[in-house]
Amino acid sequence: MIRVEDATKLYGRAGADGAAVHALNGVNLEIKAGEFVSIMGPSGCGKSTLLHVLGGLDRLSSGGIFLDDVAIHTLDENGLTDLRRRKIGFIFQFFNLLPTLTVEENVRLPGLLQMVSGVDIDERSAKLLESVGLAHRARHRLHQLSGGEMQRAALARALLLRPPVLLADEPTGNLDSEASAGVVKLFRQIGETHGTTIVMVTHSREVAASAHRMITMRDGRVVA
Ligand SMILES: Nc1ncnc2c1ncn2[C@@H]1O[C@H](COP(=O)(O)OP(=O)(O)OP(=O)(O)O)[C@@H](O)[C@H]1O
Ligand SMILES: [Mg+2]
């Protein structure tokens, strides 16, 4: 499903001043369809950068990324936008929810924006809110939620359109161990029911261990 070949991402300009950062420094990786992979590694080792380039939010400096055999490093901006809409669900550390909308409005939003037909957005959104434990908060506005509740709302929203690929950056970062276990369980269910390919960055060894496979990064490389 996902193949990364000798990917590098250089921020800044190489030179004597040491300002350049090799956020990715020759990453090679293959992830099968339906696989649930976790990525661990010290702060600054390139985990978020890798998710961004996988999701077409940022570009490589060199190397290639293939998603379903589409060479996404060769796509132009329109191509990348289209790819993100059709294939990718994102869950980020800073969740991009809209504070003035209610929880259920936030979750339904991707469905409204894309005007999907033949899908009962309201019903699906209600089920997702139930499974992330937020059914009782559906009509609350975002700013009335705790950090962990917002994170779970972001998760429900990312899953609404059942993207084939789900990219999650520390999706349990603000959650206690019980809520974390709930999110991980939901990921596994989504994977099993819909064959979703999931790449999840986490700092928690326990959360990471619940994936099918754990990848460790260091200094812009996959080391294990
Ligand atoms: N826009 C940018 N400009 C310059 N350097 C950047 C930029 N984004 C990231 N970096 C650098 O690239 C490296 C990798 O950053 P990245 O955000 O991928 O790390 P990370 O593994 O996700 O860390 P964390 O666990 O703290 O989230 C870091 O050294 C960071 O300072
Ligand atoms: Mg990060």
Side-chain angles (χ1 to χ4, degrees), residues 101-114:
L101 299 184
T102 66
V103 173
E104 63 186 4
E105 285 165 349
N106 267 283
V107 172
R108 289 172 188 163
L109 194 61
L112 302 179
L113 291 177
Q114 293 198 39

Side-chain angles (χ1 to χ4, degrees), residues 47-49 93 169-170 201:
K47 304 179 298 296
S48 295
T49 305
Q93 267 164 314
D169 203 346
E170 298 186 44
V201 167

Side-chain angles (χ1 to χ4, degrees), residues 78-121:
N78 288 336
L80 288 177
T81 304
D82 186 54
L83 173 96
R84 288 195 299 266
R85 285 216 188 105
R86 286 186 301 110
K87 296 222 156 155
I88 318 271
F90 290 103
I91 304 163
F92 286 141
Q93 267 164 314
F94 308 102
F95 353 85
N96 297 324
L97 297 168
L98 299 177
T100 56
L101 299 184
T102 66
V103 173
E104 63 186 4
E105 285 165 349
N106 267 283
V107 172
R108 289 172 188 163
L109 194 61
L112 302 179
L113 291 177
Q114 293 198 39
M115 300 202 284
V116 280
S117 57
V119 176
D120 189 335
I121 292 297

Side-chain angles (χ1 to χ4, degrees), residues 23-29 38-42 45-47 50 205 213-224:
L24 299 178
N25 203 358
V27 171
N28 289 287
L29 191 59
S38 62
I39 301 181
M40 294 195 80
C45 73
K47 304 179 298 296
L50 181 61
R205 184 154 291 278
R213 180 154 63 107
M214 276 168 74
I215 289 170
T216 307
M217 288 183 72
R218 203 171 301 274
D219 298 331
R221 286 201 175 87
V222 172
V223 292

